Amino acid sequence: MTTKERYLAAKEYYATVGIDTDAVIAKLKEIPVSLHCWQGDDVIGFDHDGPLTGGIQTTGNYPGKARTPEELLQDMDKAMSLMPGKKKLNVHACYAIFEDGEFVDRDKLEPKHFAKWVEFAKERNMGIDFNPTFFSHDKVKDGLTLSSPDEETRKFWIEHGKACIRISEYFAKETGVPCVMNIWTGDGFKDVPADRMGPRVRYKESIEAILAEPFDKNLVKPCVESKVFGIGVEAYTTGSAEFSLTFAATHDGCLPLMDNGHYHPTEVVSDKIPALLAFFPEIALHITRPIRWDSDHVVLFDDETKEMAKEIVRCDGLERVYMALDYFDASINRISAWATGFRSWQKALLAAMCTPNAELKKLQDENRMTELMLRQEEAKMYPLGDVWAYYCEECGVPADRDMFAAVDAYEKEVLLNRK
Ligand code: RNT
Ligand code: ZN
């Protein structure tokens, strides 16, 4: 049987449970998922020579990482050729692309330093999301940026944030797609602080100063990302969950961003999505895979990933939730890491959209819990793989079975020649 024939059989099966798989595929093709540029070079960027510092870490030393803008864009193109569905670019400020001999510090960045990203995105019909980079820089003073007690330090980072707002608006205007701009800092302390509130008050005022930069709320969507702890700053995080959520809730136009690696190990973001959607018109996500901590492993088609996608779909939240990937594995082929994570999230969305959500909700509301359990178990064995294979074929990307050969060939032809 061909992929198409298997799909047609699956389609017939899904029709019996009220799901139109053609419609699902057509819709899935149009849902943008933001693809992080930082998987390609282990979160280094182009504006400094030093290592990744500031509460996050990559581990591994797999050969072939991108070292220049040209290499990174080439690798991203290769990775995207292995991903079905609609992509949006996610760029960090440290990925500014300067002309030869040019350099400006982060507080002085301008739209022109990202013109190459715009060109790349436009040619591929993509929007762009953006992130100020509050790490890997010598102006991170004693582990603090926007919450530092040192006024000059705070000022530098506020100026950086403002510059990023202007760049975000430029992205939105150029691409015609709103730009989600995410504020995350690794600010915190390794050991027990004497003042927990001071840094948070300063952080609040600094973010307010950044958001005082004029911008069109329809074009720029600022977010604040929380975290439980960072590596080396285990005792205290300025931008905790309560801080970030309350900030977003009390500042019009500011979105909360939940990264599912940033909570205590038994907390799940899937349960938090509907809670936030009950209050916020729009929210943002970083989708990752935390193993025991914020380890940022490649996203897989695992239970919590499925559960998060399910919540977005059954809360009718596809238009209200900005979805971005955020992981970085330096121990395996980076193209494969990129593509596998993106494909896993696509699978999760597909699975969620191929579930009879209305029927299941009705069973819950009628307290028919025995039947609900059986129906939910039944749904797990629907012929999703046949729909997925056809979706990949339709999008012109390899089937799962052909992925390794594709990444292996690129590794041999391109990556291993980077000496
Ligand atoms: C770090 C946060 C943050 C970063 C990126 C690179 O723990 O998740 O989102 O991963 O900004
Ligand atoms: Zn994140």
Side-chain angles (χ1 to χ4, degrees), residues 209-338:
I210 292 172
L211 301 185
E213 178 70 22
F215 64 93
D216 182 339
K217 288 204 179 91
N218 295 315
L219 297 182
V220 181
K221 310 275 177 175
C223 312
V224 185
E225 178 180 11
S226 68
K227 187 154 177 168
V228 62
F229 77 93
I231 196 148
V233 282
E234 289 86 357
Y236 168 86
T237 301
T238 312
S240 60
E242 294 72 18
F243 173 90
S244 306
L245 198 53
T246 313
F247 187 95
T250 53
H251 292 75
D252 192 30
C254 186
L255 280 55
L257 186 146
M258 295 191 290
D259 178 314
N260 64 305
H262 291 190
Y263 296 86
H264 291 279
T266 59
E267 285 184 84
V268 282
V269 162
S270 52
D271 185 60
K272 299 174 194 294
I273 292 169
L276 265 55
L277 286 175
F279 295 92
F280 289 93
E282 294 182 318
I283 64 169
L285 291 181
H286 272 182
I287 300 151
T288 187
R289 181 165 54 105
I291 297 200
R292 314 203 191 288
W293 69 291
D294 184 32
S295 61
D296 286 297
H297 280 67
V298 174
V299 174
L300 299 180
F301 186 46
D302 59 18
D303 284 352
E304 174 55 7
T305 306
K306 290 182 207 174
E307 218 51 36
M308 284 166 60
K310 246 194 235 171
E311 287 303 339
I312 298 169
V313 168
R314 64 192 182 190
C315 293
D316 207 9
L318 284 168
E319 321 269 278
R320 296 169 59 198
V321 182
Y322 294 101
M323 301 175 280
L325 300 175
D326 181 17
Y327 53 82
F328 22 93
D329 192 336
S331 75
I332 54 172
N333 179 303
R334 294 171 185 80
I335 312 295
S336 182
W338 246 329

Side-chain angles (χ1 to χ4, degrees), residues 32-35 37-38 73 76 87-93 111 114-123 125-131 164 167-182 219-221 322 324:
V33 175
S34 205
L35 182 65
C37 71
W38 53 90
L73 294 178
M76 245 185 147
K87 298 110 200 157
K88 196 175 179 189
L89 276 182
N90 205 357
V91 179
H92 238 286
F114 295 87
K116 293 226 169 66
W117 284 105
V118 166
E119 194 187 310
F120 182 83
K122 276 180 159 173
E123 280 168 12
N125 200 16
M126 298 159 83
I128 310 181
D129 290 332
F130 199 45
N131 308 260
C164 288
I167 295 161
S168 298
E169 196 164 65
Y170 155 74
F171 285 153
K173 283 186 176 151
E174 288 287 330
T175 61
V177 181
C179 174
V180 175
M181 189 193 98
N182 179 44
L219 297 182
V220 181
K221 310 275 177 175
Y322 294 101

Side-chain angles (χ1 to χ4, degrees), residues 28-29 31 33 83-86 341-351 388 391:
L28 184 55
K29 279 185 185 165
I31 301 167
V33 175
M83 303 167 186
K86 194 170 171 68
F342 195 93
R343 289 168 69 102
S344 299
W345 184 246
Q346 290 279 306
K347 285 179 188 168
L349 289 172
L350 182 69
W388 168 252
Y391 174 56

